[in-house]
Amino acid sequence: MWSQIAVFGLLPFAIPTVYGWGATGHQAVGYVAMQFLSPKALSFVQSSLGTTYNRSLGPAATWADDVKSQTAYKWSSVLHYVDAEDDPPYSCSVSESRDCGDGKCILTAIANYTSRVVDTSLSATQRQEALKFLDHFIGDIGQPLHVEALEVGGNDIDVKCSGSTSNLHSVWDSGLVNKLVSSNYGNSVTTWANALVSRLNSGTYRSSAASWISCASTTSTVKRSLEEDITGYLDRRAITPLRCPLTWAADTNTFDCSHVFEYSSGQDLCTSSYYTNAVPVIETQIAKQGYRLAAWLNVLFDGSTNLP
Ligand SMILES: *[C@@H]1O[C@H](CO)[C@@H](O)[C@H](O)[C@H]1NC(C)=O
Ligand SMILES: *[C@@H]1O[C@H](CO)[C@@H](O)[C@H](O)[C@H]1NC(C)=O
Ligand SMILES: [Zn+2]
């Protein structure tokens, strides 16, 4: 199906299912992160994932979508998003108390698996599961319709993509992404990820990268570094709950007011200006989340973000 079919051959679930960011988006986040891991984080990732996932966050990133429809993992399906009860395109916001009141959403899931991945009292299997959830959820939190309640995150809005009937959620998960990767990157997710990495190292993302991991809130003057956020949370003393995932969700959610709902009825979203306007958003979001995932794991295993 895609050029990375060889990777899927290694996995227990051979058929990539198309939800979350879709397989392509999730794998790209993982492959970007791999190139920014510091020594102990890299060593944990490689040994924890092992040959099943080719020792890489790329192939492992889709596991959480593969299992969520299975009986044993049904409970995890609500952890892939936060239902922001805002009013796009007029007003956009995410509030943990309003939108995750029952404590079961992507914000609390990231917190849970952050503490579990470094919990040495858990088994290697449990810590691998925590790592695969973080790998996946830090991707999903960058997809605008995973931080939006309207019309079930766009699932209930029928739209057209390259001549086919689809829904808005699915178009953002995969329709736009797959067209982008096949048109511009030879349909290779690693070629795409490498291009995003070089923009982060020395290209157009270089000047924004530090702000992507600062976790400054847009609505509060309280600044918290990613290190302080994780340390405060793991100490369970000074600072709880986590600030960074909420900052990321709010950042992602702004696109629900600027891009996601900006189309006219009958417009084909994958062959019109909607697509060209979405491309820079999608590429930035994938690069951001890969960089943030690396920063997160670097703080957890090496004590600091260790990023340029
Ligand atoms: C596994 O990873 C190695 C290097 O990390 C890479 O060269 C190889 O192409 C990967 N294999 C698959 C099937 O992706
Ligand atoms: C944390 O993760 C574990 C293992 O997946 C799960 O059983 C538990 O319900 C989670 N706790 C919360 C509060 O989400
Ligand atoms: Zn997902």
Side-chain angles (χ1 to χ4, degrees), residues 77-83 104-107 137 140 145-148:
S77 65
V78 299
L79 304 179
H80 293 241
Y81 53 83
V82 56
D83 270 337
K104 287 184 188 149
C105 74
I106 196 165
L107 301 171
F137 294 148
D140 272 346
L145 287 168
H146 279 248
V147 292
E148 181 52 60

Side-chain angles (χ1 to χ4, degrees), residues 75 112-113 116 129:
W75 54 271
N112 188 26
Y113 295 109
R116 290 176 69 87
E129 179 183 282

